[in-house]
Every structure is written in structure tokens, then in C-alpha cells.
Amino acid sequence: MKTDHLPQSRQARLALVGITKHGVQQLTAIAPHLPDAQILVSDKFAAQVQEFSERSTVYSGALRDQMADLFASYDQIIFFVSLGAVVRLIAPLLRSKDEDPGVIVVDDAGQFVIPVLSGHVGGANAWAEHLAHLMGAQAVLTTASDVGKTIPVDILGRELGWEVIAPKIHITRVSADVVNGELIAVVQEAGSPHWWTRTTPLPDNIHLFSQLNAVDLDKYRSVLWITRQDIPGQIWETLRDRLVVYRPPEGQV
């Protein structure tokens, strides 16, 4: 099973939410495989989750009244509800991709697992793939770097403890260069070499270097620089929005 970046997400606070008969059936089937996940169901389905009573909450009334608490309390919220209903439920609560929890929808037939919110930075894409594997379903991913099986610029090395150093606009623009197939130089001077976690090969537009001075900056559109050294202001000025720097922790091989 391939679940890119899931190791960090395994520590996530999970909620499984069901409000329909078939949705609750899907929920109770997956719940044994996710023993740390909390369960939330409508009171009409209380009997179906009795075996999980120690980690279940049964609510009365409308699900929308539970949404604020769900957003505040969980890192990944897995809804066994229609996609349209979930979009309407979460819309008033959205803030930013750095703050919102991952939101995943499983259709009533258990055929598709769809990351709706915070799929990339929030880890919902990786969790969707994990759930799809457990259920024998299909994960439906739309994040460009995941679909294209390329470098996720904003979270590269996150599971290795790397710190990303660059203004957000730089990260956005370099991410666009990566997914658009522009030539990208990855310069690694420090840190673990095991940052490529996908099962597919590194894309052809990504080229590896051990030193920045080996890179023809007229040829390469953007640079990802993995280093512990301080970046001179002149380099930031020269590369501007073409550079993203990653700082591995001390002592990492």
C-alpha cells in the first residue's frame, strides 16, 4: 500500500461521521481498522454503533450544529455523507489551508473516497488513499502534485522534520513550475536522502545536484535548496520567487 506522507498523519485526531443508513454501515465496517477514531452518528443509528460505545457520540437535531466542534476538535473528519451536503456544511467554517482540518467524503456505496479540504497540506489526500485501500474503494485525488506524482513543494521533507524557508508567494510560484513540468533543480547539501516517498520515479523535469554552483540558473526555472547554511541576501535577490529552501534538523544523515 502506498500512502505518501501518511506517517505524520497517523497521529491525527480522526472523526468518523455518519447520518444515513448506508453511511453508518460503511462507518461501522471501517471503524475496527481505525481504533483511535471517534464516531459521531445521528441518534436514529445509536444501536448500530453500540459496540463502539466507548468512542461514540450520538447527537440529536441537525448535523450542522455539530460542525464547529468537529472543526475545532479533529485533524481529519471523514464523512459518510453526500459530497454536496458536506460542502454546504463546511463552507461557513473555512479559514485557510494551514488551519482547516482535512475533510474526506465516502459515498453511500463505499466506492469512492474523496478528499475535499486540506488534502495536500492537511494530509487528507494520504488518508483518503489509506481509507480507499482498507475499503477496497477508489481514492479521488485532484491536487496537482499528487495527480502528477511530483514534488509537493510546500511539504517536501515534512515527515523528516525539514523546515521550509520561503515566502508563501515563492512556494506558490515554484509549485506551479513543478506541476507545469518546468525544469527544476533540487540541490541537496544536507539531510536525509530519503525524501522521495512515492513509488513512481522522480519526474524527468526534476534534476538533482549536490551544490548550487553546479546549477545553470539560466536553464532551470526554479531551485529547491536543501541546506543548513545561511542563504546570502544576494542569492535571494538573484533568484527571487524561483527559490525555496529546506532546512533539515542538525545531525540528520
PDB file of all heavy atoms in Angstrom, residues 38-52:
ATOM      1  N   GLN A  38     -12.779   8.618  16.652  1.00  0.00           N
ATOM      2  CA  GLN A  38     -14.038   8.861  17.347  1.00  0.00           C
ATOM      3  C   GLN A  38     -15.188   8.800  16.349  1.00  0.00           C
ATOM      4  O   GLN A  38     -15.012   9.096  15.164  1.00  0.00           O
ATOM      5  CB  GLN A  38     -14.007  10.222  18.044  1.00  0.00           C
ATOM      6  CG  GLN A  38     -12.927  10.345  19.101  1.00  0.00           C
ATOM      7  CD  GLN A  38     -13.101   9.335  20.222  1.00  0.00           C
ATOM      8  OE1 GLN A  38     -14.142   9.297  20.878  1.00  0.00           O
ATOM      9  NE2 GLN A  38     -12.083   8.510  20.441  1.00  0.00           N
ATOM     10  N   ILE A  39     -16.354   8.419  16.821  1.00  0.00           N
ATOM     11  CA  ILE A  39     -17.508   8.189  15.954  1.00  0.00           C
ATOM     12  C   ILE A  39     -18.627   9.140  16.333  1.00  0.00           C
ATOM     13  O   ILE A  39     -18.927   9.330  17.515  1.00  0.00           O
ATOM     14  CB  ILE A  39     -17.981   6.728  16.075  1.00  0.00           C
ATOM     15  CG1 ILE A  39     -16.904   5.778  15.531  1.00  0.00           C
ATOM     16  CG2 ILE A  39     -19.312   6.514  15.372  1.00  0.00           C
ATOM     17  CD1 ILE A  39     -17.139   4.320  15.854  1.00  0.00           C
ATOM     18  N   LEU A  40     -19.249   9.729  15.326  1.00  0.00           N
ATOM     19  CA  LEU A  40     -20.386  10.625  15.536  1.00  0.00           C
ATOM     20  C   LEU A  40     -21.508  10.206  14.600  1.00  0.00           C
ATOM     21  O   LEU A  40     -21.323  10.170  13.379  1.00  0.00           O
ATOM     22  CB  LEU A  40     -19.984  12.071  15.242  1.00  0.00           C
ATOM     23  CG  LEU A  40     -21.078  13.130  15.411  1.00  0.00           C
ATOM     24  CD1 LEU A  40     -21.444  13.304  16.883  1.00  0.00           C
ATOM     25  CD2 LEU A  40     -20.649  14.465  14.812  1.00  0.00           C
ATOM     26  N   VAL A  41     -22.680   9.858  15.173  1.00  0.00           N
ATOM     27  CA  VAL A  41     -23.822   9.449  14.355  1.00  0.00           C
ATOM     28  C   VAL A  41     -25.093  10.093  14.878  1.00  0.00           C
ATOM     29  O   VAL A  41     -25.189  10.485  16.049  1.00  0.00           O
ATOM     30  CB  VAL A  41     -24.006   7.917  14.327  1.00  0.00           C
ATOM     31  CG1 VAL A  41     -22.797   7.222  13.721  1.00  0.00           C
ATOM     32  CG2 VAL A  41     -24.306   7.380  15.717  1.00  0.00           C
ATOM     33  N   SER A  42     -26.068  10.169  13.997  1.00  0.00           N
ATOM     34  CA  SER A  42     -27.391  10.643  14.376  1.00  0.00           C
ATOM     35  C   SER A  42     -28.027   9.670  15.362  1.00  0.00           C
ATOM     36  O   SER A  42     -27.753   8.455  15.330  1.00  0.00           O
ATOM     37  CB  SER A  42     -28.260  10.771  13.122  1.00  0.00           C
ATOM     38  OG  SER A  42     -29.609  10.977  13.460  1.00  0.00           O
ATOM     39  N   ASP A  43     -28.895  10.179  16.247  1.00  0.00           N
ATOM     40  CA  ASP A  43     -29.481   9.329  17.284  1.00  0.00           C
ATOM     41  C   ASP A  43     -30.309   8.172  16.733  1.00  0.00           C
ATOM     42  O   ASP A  43     -30.470   7.156  17.395  1.00  0.00           O
ATOM     43  CB  ASP A  43     -30.323  10.163  18.262  1.00  0.00           C
ATOM     44  CG  ASP A  43     -31.381  11.024  17.585  1.00  0.00           C
ATOM     45  OD1 ASP A  43     -31.572  10.897  16.349  1.00  0.00           O
ATOM     46  OD2 ASP A  43     -32.010  11.840  18.289  1.00  0.00           O
ATOM     47  N   LYS A  44     -30.797   8.289  15.512  1.00  0.00           N
ATOM     48  CA  LYS A  44     -31.589   7.193  14.940  1.00  0.00           C
ATOM     49  C   LYS A  44     -30.738   5.951  14.665  1.00  0.00           C
ATOM     50  O   LYS A  44     -31.268   4.861  14.463  1.00  0.00           O
ATOM     51  CB  LYS A  44     -32.290   7.651  13.664  1.00  0.00           C
ATOM     52  CG  LYS A  44     -31.376   7.903  12.482  1.00  0.00           C
ATOM     53  CD  LYS A  44     -32.151   8.270  11.221  1.00  0.00           C
ATOM     54  CE  LYS A  44     -32.781   9.635  11.339  1.00  0.00           C
ATOM     55  NZ  LYS A  44     -33.441  10.043  10.077  1.00  0.00           N
ATOM     56  N   PHE A  45     -29.398   6.124  14.664  1.00  0.00           N
ATOM     57  CA  PHE A  45     -28.498   4.995  14.396  1.00  0.00           C
ATOM     58  C   PHE A  45     -27.674   4.613  15.618  1.00  0.00           C
ATOM     59  O   PHE A  45     -26.649   3.943  15.501  1.00  0.00           O
ATOM     60  CB  PHE A  45     -27.571   5.322  13.221  1.00  0.00           C
ATOM     61  CG  PHE A  45     -28.303   5.619  11.943  1.00  0.00           C
ATOM     62  CD1 PHE A  45     -28.291   6.896  11.410  1.00  0.00           C
ATOM     63  CD2 PHE A  45     -29.027   4.626  11.304  1.00  0.00           C
ATOM     64  CE1 PHE A  45     -28.973   7.179  10.243  1.00  0.00           C
ATOM     65  CE2 PHE A  45     -29.714   4.896  10.141  1.00  0.00           C
ATOM     66  CZ  PHE A  45     -29.698   6.185   9.595  1.00  0.00           C
ATOM     67  N   ALA A  46     -28.139   5.005  16.796  1.00  0.00           N
ATOM     68  CA  ALA A  46     -27.401   4.723  18.034  1.00  0.00           C
ATOM     69  C   ALA A  46     -27.146   3.233  18.222  1.00  0.00           C
ATOM     70  O   ALA A  46     -26.063   2.814  18.661  1.00  0.00           O
ATOM     71  CB  ALA A  46     -28.151   5.299  19.228  1.00  0.00           C
ATOM     72  N   ALA A  47     -28.139   2.409  17.910  1.00  0.00           N
ATOM     73  CA  ALA A  47     -27.995   0.965  18.125  1.00  0.00           C
ATOM     74  C   ALA A  47     -26.886   0.371  17.265  1.00  0.00           C
ATOM     75  O   ALA A  47     -26.191  -0.562  17.691  1.00  0.00           O
ATOM     76  CB  ALA A  47     -29.318   0.260  17.832  1.00  0.00           C
ATOM     77  N   GLN A  48     -26.693   0.919  16.056  1.00  0.00           N
ATOM     78  CA  GLN A  48     -25.701   0.364  15.131  1.00  0.00           C
ATOM     79  C   GLN A  48     -24.260   0.587  15.601  1.00  0.00           C
ATOM     80  O   GLN A  48     -23.352  -0.106  15.151  1.00  0.00           O
ATOM     81  CB  GLN A  48     -25.879   0.962  13.722  1.00  0.00           C
ATOM     82  CG  GLN A  48     -27.038   0.336  12.944  1.00  0.00           C
ATOM     83  CD  GLN A  48     -28.342   1.061  13.189  1.00  0.00           C
ATOM     84  OE1 GLN A  48     -28.613   1.508  14.303  1.00  0.00           O
ATOM     85  NE2 GLN A  48     -29.156   1.164  12.149  1.00  0.00           N
ATOM     86  N   VAL A  49     -24.049   1.561  16.471  1.00  0.00           N
ATOM     87  CA  VAL A  49     -22.683   1.828  16.931  1.00  0.00           C
ATOM     88  C   VAL A  49     -22.488   1.448  18.399  1.00  0.00           C
ATOM     89  O   VAL A  49     -21.524   1.857  19.030  1.00  0.00           O
ATOM     90  CB  VAL A  49     -22.306   3.311  16.710  1.00  0.00           C
ATOM     91  CG1 VAL A  49     -22.302   3.643  15.221  1.00  0.00           C
ATOM     92  CG2 VAL A  49     -23.227   4.238  17.478  1.00  0.00           C
ATOM     93  N   GLN A  50     -23.403   0.640  18.914  1.00  0.00           N
ATOM     94  CA  GLN A  50     -23.336   0.265  20.315  1.00  0.00           C
ATOM     95  C   GLN A  50     -22.033  -0.437  20.672  1.00  0.00           C
ATOM     96  O   GLN A  50     -21.464  -0.226  21.746  1.00  0.00           O
ATOM     97  CB  GLN A  50     -24.527  -0.649  20.665  1.00  0.00           C
ATOM     98  CG  GLN A  50     -24.625  -0.997  22.141  1.00  0.00           C
ATOM     99  CD  GLN A  50     -24.825   0.222  23.015  1.00  0.00           C
ATOM    100  OE1 GLN A  50     -25.556   1.134  22.661  1.00  0.00           O
ATOM    101  NE2 GLN A  50     -24.171   0.252  24.173  1.00  0.00           N
ATOM    102  N   GLU A  51     -21.509  -1.238  19.752  1.00  0.00           N
ATOM    103  CA  GLU A  51     -20.260  -1.958  20.040  1.00  0.00           C
ATOM    104  C   GLU A  51     -19.065  -1.016  20.148  1.00  0.00           C
ATOM    105  O   GLU A  51     -18.008  -1.388  20.667  1.00  0.00           O
ATOM    106  CB  GLU A  51     -19.987  -3.014  18.974  1.00  0.00           C
ATOM    107  CG  GLU A  51     -19.728  -2.455  17.585  1.00  0.00           C
ATOM    108  CD  GLU A  51     -19.421  -3.550  16.582  1.00  0.00           C
ATOM    109  OE1 GLU A  51     -18.384  -4.236  16.755  1.00  0.00           O
ATOM    110  OE2 GLU A  51     -20.215  -3.720  15.631  1.00  0.00           O
ATOM    111  N   PHE A  52     -19.230   0.218  19.671  1.00  0.00           N
ATOM    112  CA  PHE A  52     -18.165   1.221  19.757  1.00  0.00           C
ATOM    113  C   PHE A  52     -18.543   2.315  20.753  1.00  0.00           C
ATOM    114  O   PHE A  52     -18.098   3.455  20.628  1.00  0.00           O
ATOM    115  CB  PHE A  52     -17.915   1.856  18.386  1.00  0.00           C
ATOM    116  CG  PHE A  52     -17.677   0.861  17.280  1.00  0.00           C
ATOM    117  CD1 PHE A  52     -18.635   0.647  16.294  1.00  0.00           C
ATOM    118  CD2 PHE A  52     -16.499   0.128  17.228  1.00  0.00           C
ATOM    119  CE1 PHE A  52     -18.423  -0.260  15.278  1.00  0.00           C
ATOM    120  CE2 PHE A  52     -16.274  -0.790  16.210  1.00  0.00           C
ATOM    121  CZ  PHE A  52     -17.248  -0.994  15.235  1.00  0.00           C
TER     122      PHE A  52
END
